[in-house]
Amino acid sequence: LEETLRLIFQLTEPASLSRAARVSRAWSNIALDELWRSLPSIFPLLRLLAPLEWILDATQHHRRLFSSLVKADWDRFSEYAIRIRCLNIDYAMEVELPLDSAALVHMFHRTGPLLPNIERISWRFIQNKNCTSIFPFLGPRLEHLALVMERGVQETEQILLMQSLVNFVPNLRSLRLISSITTRNMTRSLASFISSWPKLLHLELPAFFLTQEVVAATARLPLLTKLSYSGWRNTSETYNESGMRFKFTPGSFTQLDTLCFASLAHEMFNVLQSADHVGRLQKLCLDCPTFFSPEELKRVFAQLAAVAQRLIDLQLVCSPVRQLQDQPRDTTSFATRFIRPLFSCTQLERFHFVAPHFIPLIDRDVVEMGRGWPAMRSLTLTPAPLTSHQLGTRFSILSDFAKNLPNLQTLRLYFGTEMSEFDGDLYPTHGFRKLETLGVGSSSVERGKAQEMGFFLASLCQTAPAIEVGVTKYHRGEDIPEPRKSELLAEWSEVNSAMNLAFRTKRSIAPRLRPTDPEPREGAR
């Protein structure tokens, strides 16, 4: 019965859990465990000790808060504190906990950490004068820690926090850090405390923190499986101090299966060539803030194809940062032959390629993709290139994707204005089984073809996919200018309306099909 109740209460809303806790003693413990397991604020717990007004202004209410903590029912406090496993604190959504209040509570608690069973904490600091109010809530069982420190947080406080973490969370297994402080003030401390967590499995740092010294310390972690960077930005400050020329030493990262790093175009090949662990990677994200030449791109892809046969997820963002390199007004296309070496990575399920160039595809290219990537679920090929030409892939090539990559869930391409005439068949032989998102980037809709394109798209899909218009989140540089952006949204909205109309038509004629047919017959209209 207890296990059944726990399963039910895991799916129950907080208001209902609160009522369930008052049904009986047996229900109460289980319901309270679920109700207090994950909290978006620490104040519900602290209100068991003193009024919220006193906690938020300990200077003005010092005596009353002190007296309240002396008389508090600490056994009742502990009864609830031991239930908390997860904290998600966002100071953009609630008031800040003053350091002196946190210190007083911790002092009166006396025995051990305030939250002895805490396993996961996410804490976002905004305009804080201090970050150390988090310390009383850390504990030896904490395994997952995410810290977001916005620009308003003082640099000295961020450094103090990161230098002191080791003493509070010795068994950390996952650390995610977002910060804007300069690397030169943190590199030595960062390398030191990273080395103190031998059980660390996942590490995510700001891109500019991945300097040679930090990477060398990280490489010595015996269990690390994921190294990536956070705080991606559209400005050069993400890269100014980055160790984008670091090299991996032989024998490092023995367990790594996920790697994300930033590198200059002419250095990325050398980095990959020197890393003997690349062959073990399942996910790789490469970020280049400058232009790739076609030959540089070909070398990188050829190197990956030669050594990274286990790749499941590959992301390459070679979108230039304006402050690092001037952007030309226009770019030429990339031939498909430059990505053809990757067709040998047969386990790929996700390939995300963002660049200022566009890649015009033909039927044969899609056939080769289908043969090389039979497990592909998400494919992005430069949907918003830096070009004034309408020479993208023809829209009707979607039928080739439906035939050769029917299990795609996400597809993002740059389409030209050429659209073959739709024959009116709403149930073609081949179609997408799972397509959820079609990204069209900065593609235009051929004048007078919106309805035909909508019906054609509906004929290929089992359910209506979401149509994404505009640049991806990894796009750098200028967005699509107005009024062109509004025009594109209006054009694709018309396509979307036509697609939904076609789906209503398909649903209306479905009952007329023979019930013994497992699929609609070819040619049904």
Side-chain angles (χ1 to χ4, degrees), residues 153-209:
V153 183
Q154 295 180 2
E155 184 173 301
T156 53
E157 286 295 322
Q158 296 188 46
I159 295 175
L160 176 61
L161 171 60
M162 287 184 271
Q163 288 174 336
S164 306
L165 277 177
V166 175
N167 299 321
F168 292 91
V169 285
N171 298 309
L172 203 64
R173 300 174 72 85
S174 174
L175 173 64
R176 181 173 186 260
L177 178 65
I178 296 179
S179 172
S180 58
I181 64 175
T182 54
T183 312
R184 61 177 176 272
N185 294 336
M186 266 302 300
T187 294
R188 185 165 299 176
S189 299
L190 191 65
S192 176
F193 81 70
I194 286 176
S195 301
S196 303
W197 285 315
K199 297 180 181 180
L200 206 62
L201 297 176
H202 300 161
L203 179 61
E204 188 173 332
L205 299 173
F208 46 89
F209 276 25

Side-chain angles (χ1 to χ4, degrees), residues 255-483:
Q255 303 296 323
L256 205 67
D257 60 34
T258 298
L259 174 63
C260 303
F261 70 94
S263 177
L264 300 174
H266 59 280
E267 292 286 342
M268 190 171 287
F269 172 80
N270 296 330
V271 172
L272 293 173
Q273 192 175 40
S274 66
D276 58 355
H277 60 271
V278 172
R280 297 188 295 271
L281 292 177
Q282 294 183 348
K283 178 178 180 179
L284 179 61
C285 178
L286 306 174
D287 183 4
C288 177
T290 57
F291 278 114
F292 262 108
S293 72
E295 289 305 317
E296 287 171 331
L297 182 69
K298 184 178 180 180
R299 290 183 71 203
V300 169
F301 284 159
Q303 177 67 15
L304 287 175
V307 299
Q309 293 295 311
R310 296 184 183 179
L311 276 180
I312 294 174
D313 189 337
L314 174 60
Q315 301 177 52
L316 176 60
V317 180
C318 50
S319 186
V321 173
R322 182 177 296 276
Q323 293 92 332
L324 295 180
Q325 186 177 45
D326 291 335
Q327 298 188 34
R329 295 184 178 181
D330 207 346
T331 57
T332 57
S333 64
F334 267 160
T336 316
R337 62 185 175 86
F338 294 119
I339 66 172
R340 187 165 286 122
L342 289 177
F343 293 163
S344 64
C345 298
T346 57
Q347 298 184 47
L348 265 184
E349 296 180 8
R350 183 171 187 255
F351 180 40
H352 184 98
F353 179 38
V354 175
H357 310 77
F358 65 93
I359 302 179
L361 301 174
I362 59 175
D363 304 359
R364 185 182 63 186
D365 300 328
V366 183
V367 172
E368 290 185 34
M369 289 179 188
R371 291 172 181 168
W373 299 330
M376 183 63 67
R377 295 183 293 106
S378 179
L379 180 62
T380 300
L381 293 176
T382 64
L386 184 64
T387 179
S388 58
H389 302 295
Q390 303 296 327
L391 300 177
T393 301
R394 57 185 176 80
F395 194 73
S396 50
I397 204 171
L398 289 177
S399 59
D400 295 293
F401 276 99
K403 179 179 180 180
N404 295 281
L405 293 163
N407 293 317
L408 278 175
Q409 297 175 14
T410 301
L411 177 62
R412 298 184 181 96
L413 299 173
Y414 177 65
F415 296 101
T417 54
E418 179 184 352
M419 168 66 191
S420 302
E421 185 176 351
F422 176 49
D423 62 5
D425 185 0
L426 289 178
Y427 294 103
T429 305
H430 302 285
F432 292 109
R433 299 181 187 134
K434 303 177 182 179
L435 191 66
E436 299 172 355
T437 302
L438 177 66
V440 297
S442 56
S443 310
S444 299
V445 175
E446 185 177 355
R447 181 173 296 181
K449 292 285 187 176
Q451 182 169 332
E452 194 170 342
M453 292 169 70
F455 271 65
F456 173 65
L457 184 55
S459 73
L460 297 174
C461 303
Q462 294 188 3
T463 57
I467 299 179
E468 285 183 353
V469 183
V471 300
T472 70
K473 66 177 182 178
Y474 296 105
H475 179 81
R476 282 189 283 251
E478 297 178 357
D479 197 353
I480 301 172
E482 293 289 355

Side-chain angles (χ1 to χ4, degrees), residues 89-155:
I89 310 298
D90 187 346
Y91 282 157
M93 307 297 294
E94 68 168 19
V95 292
E96 173 190 349
L97 173 64
L99 175 60
D100 45 2
S101 296
L104 276 175
V105 171
H106 191 240
M107 180 181 70
F108 278 95
H109 186 251
R110 297 179 187 147
T111 58
L114 292 178
L115 307 178
N117 295 321
I118 191 73
E119 298 172 355
R120 185 183 298 268
I121 289 181
S122 175
W123 207 299
R124 183 186 181 197
F125 302 92
I126 304 296
Q127 296 290 340
N128 308 74
K129 296 178 181 178
N130 66 78
C131 299
T132 50
S133 58
I134 191 179
F135 286 155
F137 306 101
L138 303 177
R141 294 193 178 185
L142 185 69
E143 294 186 348
H144 307 276
L145 179 62
L147 298 174
V148 180
M149 292 171 282
E150 304 290 354
R151 290 184 176 278
V153 183
Q154 295 180 2
E155 184 173 301

Side-chain angles (χ1 to χ4, degrees), residues 17-29:
L17 284 173
S18 182
R19 291 192 292 269
R22 296 192 288 269
V23 171
S24 68
R25 185 178 296 275
W27 279 38
S28 179
N29 285 330

Side-chain angles (χ1 to χ4, degrees), residues 424-428 459 506 509 513 517 519-525:
D425 185 0
L426 289 178
Y427 294 103
S459 73
K506 291 176 73 173
I509 67 174
L513 300 176
D517 287 349
E519 296 290 341
R521 291 166 295 156
E522 182 179 356
R525 302 186 182 182

